[in-house]
C-alpha cells in the first residue's frame, strides 16, 4: 500500500434495470493517498457517486451490484468484509458528507445530540465530555456561538450552518477518509468558499484523506492535489492537479476546462461541451466520448481506448496519444 490509504482496482458496479444493465462504474482504478485531497470530476451521471457508494458498500441492491474488482482500505479488502466489519469501518474510518445535509441530519433531534451520538459510539467518553467534544467539533468547523448551536434543531439553522454541522458530525469520529460528494453544490458562492476552506483546514489539522466529488473544475483547482476525471463510468484521465491544468490531454478534460466560467467572462457565452453523457447501458464498443469529440478518428469508433500512462504520473484513455499517432 505504501502511501496509499485506498486502492481501487478494476471496480465494476452495475445496475440491473428493466431497460438493461447500466454499467455505472466500469473497470475503474485509482488510489487515494494518505492525507491527500483527491478530486473526482465529471459531468452529472458519470459514475462519481456510485464509485463513492461502492467504497462505502452502500450501493442499493437490487438493482445495484458490485460485480468485479477490488477495494483495499489500509490492509482490508472492503468487498470481502462481513457486514458488521463493514459497519465498524463506516462512520469510524470512513465518513461521508452529501450535498444535502438533511439526508444526514435527523430533523427531530438537536444538532448537539446528533454529534454526541456519533462521539459516544466511537469514543470512550461520558455524556458531559461528549457534549464538550461536540462543541469543540462545531468550533473546529467555524460555527460561531457553538454552545448555543448545539441546542438547535436542524431546521433552525441556515444551509451553510447545517452543512458545517454535518461536517462536524462526519469528522467527530476522526475518520481516515472523508468522502465529500458535491458538498457545496447547493450553497451560494461565499458560503461555498467558507466550507471548502474548512475542509482544507481539517485536512491540515487531522491529516484526513478527502475524496472530493464535484462537477466543478473551479472547486478542483482550489482544493485538489490529484485529480481523477470520469466519463460514462470510466476514468478517462488522471494526474496531479497542476499537471492536469497545465496539460489537459483528453478532449473531454479540455472541454470541461473551456466550460469553466472565469470572472471576466460573459456567462451567456460560456462554452459547453456539445451533446450529453451517454446513459451507460448497451454501449457500443467505441470510445464513449467519440460522439461529442472534435478529434474523433476511425479507430475511436471501433474500440475503447485503454487508460495508459503517457507522461510520468499522467494517465489518459485516448487514441490521440497512442504510439505512432
Ligand atoms: N439506483 C439506480 N438504478 C439505476 N441506475 C442508476 C442508479 N443509481 C445510479 N444509476 C446510474 O448510474 C450512473 C452513474 O450515476 P452517478 O454515480 O450518480 O453519477 P454522478 O454522481 O457522476 O452524477 C448514471 O447513469 C445513473 O443513471
Ligand atoms: Mg453524484
Amino acid at each position: 500500500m505504501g502511501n496509499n490509504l485506498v486502492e481501487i482496482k478494476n471496480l465494476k458496479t452495475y445496475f440491473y434495470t428493466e431497460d438493461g444493465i447500466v454499467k455505472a462504474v466500469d473497470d475503474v482504478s485509482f488510489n487515494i493517498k494518505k492525507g491527500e485531497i483527491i478530486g473526482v470530476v465529471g459531468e452529472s451521471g458519470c459514475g462519481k457517486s456510485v464509485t463513492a457508494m461502492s467504497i462505502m458498500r452502500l450501493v442499493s441492491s437490487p438493482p445495484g451490484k458490485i460485480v468485479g474488482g477490488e477495494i483495499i482500505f489500509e490492509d482490508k479488502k472492503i468487498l470481502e468484509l462481513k457486514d458488521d466489519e463493514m459497519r465498524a469501518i463506516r462512520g469510524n474510518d470512513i465518513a461521508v458528507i452529501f450535498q444535502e445535509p438533511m439526508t444526514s441530519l435527523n430533523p427531530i433531534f438537536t444538532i448537539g445530540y446528533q454529534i454526541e451520538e456519533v462521539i459516544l459510539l466511537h469514543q470512550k467518553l461520558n455524556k458531559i465530555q461528549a457534549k464538550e467534544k461536540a462543541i469543540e467539533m462545531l468550533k473546529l468547523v467555524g460555527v460561531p456561538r457553538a454552545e448555543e448551536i448545539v441546542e438547535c434543531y436542524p431546521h433552525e439553522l441556515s444551509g451553510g450552518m447545517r452543512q458545517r454541522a454535518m461536517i462536524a458530525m462526519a469528522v467527530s469520529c476522526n475518520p481516515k477518509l472523508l468522502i465529500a460528494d458535491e458538498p457545496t453544490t447547493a450553497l451560494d458562492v461565499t458560503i461555498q468558499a467558507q466550507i471548502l476552506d474548512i475542509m482544507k483546514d481539517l485536512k491540515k489539522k487531522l491529516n484526513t484523506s478527502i475524496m472530493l466529488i464535484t462537477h466543478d473544475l473551479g472547486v478542483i483547482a482550489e482544493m485538489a492535489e490529484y485529480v481523477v476525471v470520469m466519463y460514462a463510468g470510466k476514468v478517462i484521465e488522471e494526474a496531479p492537479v497542476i499537471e492536469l491544468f497545465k496539460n489537459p490531454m483528453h478532449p473531454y478534460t479540455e472541454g470541461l476546462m473551456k466550460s469553466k466560467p472565469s470572472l471576466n467572462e460573459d456567462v451567456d457565452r460560456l462554452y459547453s461541451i456539445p451533446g450529453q453523457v451517454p446513459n451507460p447501458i448497451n454501449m457500443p464498443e467505441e470510445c464513449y466520448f467519440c460522439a461529442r469529440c472534435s478529434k474523433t478518428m476511425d479507430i475511436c469508433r471501433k474500440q475503447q481506448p485503454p487508460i495508459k500512462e503517457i507522461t510520468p504520473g499522467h494517465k489518459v484513455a485516448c487514441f490521440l496519444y497512442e504510439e505512432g499517432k
Side-chain angles (χ1 to χ4, degrees):
M1 295 292 283
N3 279 334
N4 293 336
L5 178 68
V6 185
E7 292 181 356
I8 301 171
K9 297 179 183 166
N10 309 103
L11 179 69
K12 294 182 180 182
T13 307
Y14 295 175
F15 291 92
Y16 294 82
T17 71
E18 279 182 8
D19 300 328
I21 302 171
V22 180
K23 296 183 176 179
V25 174
D26 198 15
D27 206 10
V28 160
S29 303
F30 63 89
N31 300 326
I32 302 175
K33 291 205 182 79
K34 288 176 189 148
E36 170 185 73
I37 303 187
I38 182 169
V40 178
V41 69
E43 290 164 291
S44 180
C46 282
K48 307 181 297 293
S49 295
V50 174
T51 302
M53 296 305 262
S54 302
I55 298 173
M56 299 281 280
R57 253 177 57 185
L58 287 174
V59 175
S60 59
S61 174
K65 192 165 193 268
I66 298 175
V67 296
E70 250 186 346
I71 301 172
I72 302 167
F73 180 85
E74 295 186 307
D75 55 348
K76 300 180 196 78
K77 292 187 172 175
I78 289 269
L79 302 181
E80 290 172 16
L81 295 179
K82 297 197 189 84
D83 286 350
D84 58 336
E85 292 170 324
M86 193 60 221
R87 262 195 301 276
I89 287 188
R90 232 183 272 135
N92 202 355
D93 291 328
I94 308 178
V96 60
I97 54 176
F98 298 102
Q99 178 175 337
E100 178 41 70
M102 290 312 272
T103 52
S104 302
L105 297 173
N106 189 326
I108 64 168
F109 296 112
T110 63
I111 296 293
Y113 179 86
Q114 296 184 59
I115 300 174
E116 286 160 35
E117 284 283 279
V118 176
I119 293 167
L120 288 170
L121 199 64
H122 296 285
Q123 299 178 29
K124 290 188 180 65
L125 296 176
N126 64 35
K127 285 209 157 179
I128 295 166
Q129 290 167 322
K131 183 162 189 178
E132 283 167 5
K133 174 93 188 181
I135 293 170
E136 190 190 313
M137 294 314 296
L138 285 170
K139 286 183 176 161
L140 186 70
V141 297
V143 170
R145 298 178 291 107
E147 292 82 357
E148 291 166 42
I149 297 291
V150 283
E151 309 294 346
C152 291
Y153 290 86
H155 72 266
E156 296 177 284
L157 305 181
S158 68
M161 252 347 138
R162 279 205 288 260
Q163 199 68 341
R164 283 170 210 235
M166 180 168 64
I167 296 173
M169 201 161 96
V171 296
S172 59
C173 57
N174 222 336
K176 292 171 183 147
L177 173 66
L178 177 67
I179 298 176
D181 192 348
E182 307 269 4
T184 59
T185 302
L187 304 171
D188 71 51
V189 270
T190 326
I191 311 288
Q192 176 171 348
Q194 290 169 3
I195 298 286
L196 293 177
D197 276 347
I198 287 162
M199 289 206 294
K200 258 195 205 161
D201 208 41
L202 284 174
K203 189 216 107 159
K204 243 185 261 158
K205 282 186 188 143
L206 310 173
N207 199 36
T208 316
S209 302
I210 302 181
M211 175 178 171
L212 176 64
I213 297 175
T214 176
H215 61 275
D216 185 340
L217 268 178
V219 171
I220 294 286
E222 175 72 24
M223 296 287 292
E225 293 155 87
Y226 192 83
V227 190
V228 168
V229 184
M230 286 190 75
Y231 187 76
K234 295 191 176 285
V235 173
I236 54 98
E237 184 160 5
E238 61 170 277
V241 70
I242 294 172
E243 164 66 15
L244 189 90
F245 277 86
K246 217 166 50 184
N247 185 23
M249 290 190 184
H250 200 289
Y252 178 62
T253 312
E254 284 184 273
L256 284 179
M257 286 189 184
K258 271 203 257 171
S259 53
K260 186 166 88 65
S262 76
L263 287 174
N264 48 15
E265 237 173 328
D266 185 347
V267 177
D268 286 344
R269 286 191 288 106
L270 197 64
Y271 173 84
S272 78
I273 306 171
Q276 285 175 349
V277 182
N279 193 4
I281 196 169
N282 305 326
M283 295 285 280
E285 267 301 307
E286 61 178 22
C287 170
Y288 293 166
F289 190 61
C290 74
R292 302 172 73 189
C293 183
S294 60
K295 297 175 179 163
T296 305
M297 304 173 291
D298 282 347
I299 189 173
C300 310
R301 295 205 176 82
K302 293 191 188 121
Q303 46 179 292
Q304 290 201 349
I307 187 152
K308 287 188 182 167
E309 191 162 359
I310 304 297
T311 57
H314 194 155
K315 295 181 190 170
V316 67
C318 178
F319 288 121
L320 286 172
Y321 304 93
E322 292 282 283
E323 279 163 70
K325 291 268 144 40

